[in-house]
Amino acid sequence: MKKYAVIVAGGSGSRMGNALPKQFLPLAGKPLLYHTLTAFLRVWQDLQIVLALPADHFQTGLTIAGQADATGRIKTIAGGSTRFESVKACLEQVEEDAVVFVHDAVRCLISSALIERCYRETIAKGNAIPVIISSDSMRILEEGENRAIDRDRMRIVQTPQTFNGALLKMAYRQPYRSFFTDDASVVEYAGGKINLVEGEYRNIKITHPIDLLIAEELLKQDQKDNPASPQ
Amino acid sequence: MKKYAVIVAGGSGSRMGNALPKQFLPLAGKPLLYHTLTAFLRVWQDLQIVLALPADHFQTGLTIAGQADATGRIKTIAGGSTRFESVKACLEQVEEDAVVFVHDAVRCLISSALIERCYRETIAKGNAIPVIISSDSMRILEEGENRAIDRDRMRIVQTPQTFNGALLKMAYRQPYRSFFTDDASVVEYAGGKINLVEGEYRNIKITHPIDLLIAEELLKQDQKDNPASPQ
């Protein structure tokens, strides 16, 4: 089956307090985006990447893509003003008869095992959304009030959100709605039933400055556990 | 106003894959629990701590309490088999006319600023529950299915959950119910209206092994930013 990874690197990174978007910040000697790209490229030789870059930093992203792959497996496009528009634009480069991983560029610690799990589940069930359980209690805001919500019923959603190409392309033909915060919500609103798979606690989204420190530590630990593993 | 911190250190730490409960694991040269105790002791001279310890590790906890304070400000009791029972037992040592902080022993990075904010809000409004916004999408399980839930309406709950003593003691007179995962849910079920305050992203709960690495990094950074700050 054909495999595409749609990598969304369009964010402006305002929460990091840094002029350079967070996907370009250095991590263990390489830009964060480099780690994310190679995490997918190494799983299958025939996987192709469609990479949405912010227009303001297009050249920076292009250079990183060139470092990660020199064999034409990464196609770059200019991202839109929202995540929805960026994914939609990427999907024009993707075939219907394929498995499509949609992944946040800032989740650079994604493992091969999780990518493979999402692939197998998508072949079997049409889509695979990695989720983890919350170890914290949660509350929900409602009409100016707030109330407890059972955390055992809540799941925190990660990426890669993985879909049959035809299903995902169909769903992204809908007009944008404000509650489309991820691909699962887009597919669900188009009538698709969402299939959850077990995510990974370490598959974090680099959002706040301390997340970069965490990622550095985790990569150091990986090198210690397996000195021959690729960076 | 009198101030009590109820510190719940009764967990068995099974998720850490370690025989020693996580609240006793070392962090920057001191047991995790030591950091948590001193974080409260240093805010006010007149704050007292009631510490619930696991029966199996009572002596270990007692030794750590002695290291953190030698002036009788920490009272130790044997925790119950659930968090609810432990808090309930601690509250017998607490006066009604007081502000009571209930805090997870494994949230050792709690700042003085957050403790003070919870205190002021509790004086003004009867309780204060620190929450943060999720940067991840969320889904909710319902009758074998799952659906997206608007993450902008969700809040992740931290501790110290802070209450007027009379309110909290009254709420803990209820029988235990399975959805009592924190103190806010207990007080809410007893009819109290919950008042949210802004938590701190770094006020993490040490749950998984990588959380200890994160905490080490954050403490190192604190030392760098402010070499004179207490450990």
Side-chain angles (χ1 to χ4, degrees), chain B residues 1-4 40 44 94-102 113-130 159-169 183-184 187 193-198:
Chain B
M1 178 74 82
K2 287 197 171 151
K3 303 157 195 89
Y4 291 94
F40 278 91
W44 296 284
V94 161
E95 288 169 66
E96 295 214 335
D97 187 22
V99 168
V100 185
F101 304 89
V102 186
L114 179 52
I115 294 171
E116 286 165 355
R117 181 153 69 244
C118 288
Y119 179 79
R120 286 192 307 270
E121 282 276 327
T122 298
I123 295 287
K125 299 188 176 166
N127 67 78
I129 310 301
T159 69
Q161 301 194 357
T162 312
F163 303 89
N164 164 279
L167 173 67
L168 190 60
K169 284 167 76 88
D183 313 290
V187 167
K193 189 181 158 187
I194 297 303
N195 175 44
L196 305 183
V197 300
E198 197 179 340

Side-chain angles (χ1 to χ4, degrees), chain B residues 7 9-10 24 33 51-55 57-62 65 76-80:
Chain B
I7 311 273
F24 303 132
L33 175 61
L51 172 63
L53 291 168
H57 299 270
F58 199 85
Q59 191 54 51
T60 309
L62 210 56
T76 48
I77 67 159

Side-chain angles (χ1 to χ4, degrees), chain A residues 13 15-17 22-23 25-28 32 35 106-109 201-220, chain B residues 132-136 200-204 210-211 213-215 217-218 221:
Chain A
R15 271 185 283 195
M16 296 293 282
K22 54 201 168 183
Q23 60 271 27
L25 294 178
L27 172 67
L32 215 142
H35 295 279
V106 292
R107 287 194 199 263
C108 53
L109 299 175
Y201 187 67
R202 55 169 280 155
N203 179 25
I204 59 170
K205 188 173 175 179
I206 307 287
T207 310
H208 301 86
I210 78 157
D211 298 328
L212 264 179
L213 287 176
I214 297 166
E216 289 270 0
E217 278 305 309
L218 288 169
L219 286 177
K220 266 187 228 164
Chain B
I132 55 170
I133 291 172
S134 170
S135 54
D136 294 312
E200 288 173 344
Y201 186 67
R202 56 170 279 154
N203 180 25
I204 58 169
I210 80 159
D211 298 328
L213 286 176
I214 298 167
E217 278 305 308
L218 288 168
Q221 222 186 10

Side-chain angles (χ1 to χ4, degrees), chain B residues 146-164:
Chain B
N146 68 87
R147 64 175 172 84
I149 191 158
D150 181 2
R151 73 173 167 204
D152 290 342
R153 287 169 53 211
M154 298 302 300
R155 293 295 180 273
I156 296 168
V157 179
Q158 304 186 327
T159 69
Q161 301 194 357
T162 312
F163 303 89
N164 164 279

Side-chain angles (χ1 to χ4, degrees), chain B residues 7 9-10 34 48 52 60 72 83 85 93 145 149 151 165 168 171 173 176 180 213 230:
Chain B
I7 311 273
Y34 175 90
Q48 294 183 64
T60 309
R83 186 183 187 286
E85 281 177 38
Q93 310 298 325
E145 305 280 308
I149 191 158
R151 73 173 167 204
L168 190 60
R173 283 186 204 115
Y176 173 73
F180 287 169
L213 286 176

Side-chain angles (χ1 to χ4, degrees), chain A residues 15 107 129 131 133-142 144-158 161 179 181-182 184-185 188 193-196 201-202 204-205 207-208 210-211 213-214 217-218 220-221, chain B residues 15 107 129 131 133-142 144-158 161 179 181-182 184-185 188 193-196 201-202 204-205 207-208 210-211 213-214 217-218 220-221:
Chain A
R15 271 185 283 195
R107 287 194 199 263
I129 310 300
V131 294
I133 291 172
S134 171
S135 53
D136 294 313
S137 294
M138 292 198 191
R139 301 189 70 80
I140 186 165
L141 309 187
E142 263 174 358
E145 304 282 307
N146 69 85
R147 64 174 170 86
I149 191 160
D150 181 2
R151 73 174 167 201
D152 290 342
R153 287 170 53 211
M154 298 301 301
R155 294 294 180 273
I156 297 169
V157 180
Q158 304 186 327
Q161 302 194 357
F179 50 85
T181 56
D182 64 354
S185 55
E188 182 170 58
K193 190 181 157 186
I194 297 303
N195 176 45
L196 306 182
Y201 187 67
R202 55 169 280 155
I204 59 170
K205 188 173 175 179
T207 310
H208 301 86
I210 78 157
D211 298 328
L213 287 176
I214 297 166
E217 278 305 309
L218 288 169
K220 266 187 228 164
Q221 223 187 8
Chain B
R15 273 186 283 197
R107 288 195 199 261
I129 310 301
V131 294
I133 291 172
S134 170
S135 54
D136 294 312
S137 294
M138 291 196 192
R139 303 188 69 79
I140 187 165
L141 308 188
E142 263 175 356
E145 305 280 308
N146 68 87
R147 64 175 172 84
I149 191 158
D150 181 2
R151 73 173 167 204
D152 290 342
R153 287 169 53 211
M154 298 302 300
R155 293 295 180 273
I156 296 168
V157 179
Q158 304 186 327
Q161 301 194 357
F179 50 85
T181 57
D182 64 355
S185 54
E188 183 170 58
K193 189 181 158 187
I194 297 303
N195 175 44
L196 305 183
Y201 186 67
R202 56 170 279 154
I204 58 169
K205 188 174 176 178
T207 310
H208 301 87
I210 80 159
D211 298 328
L213 286 176
I214 298 167
E217 278 305 308
L218 288 168
K220 267 187 227 163
Q221 222 186 10

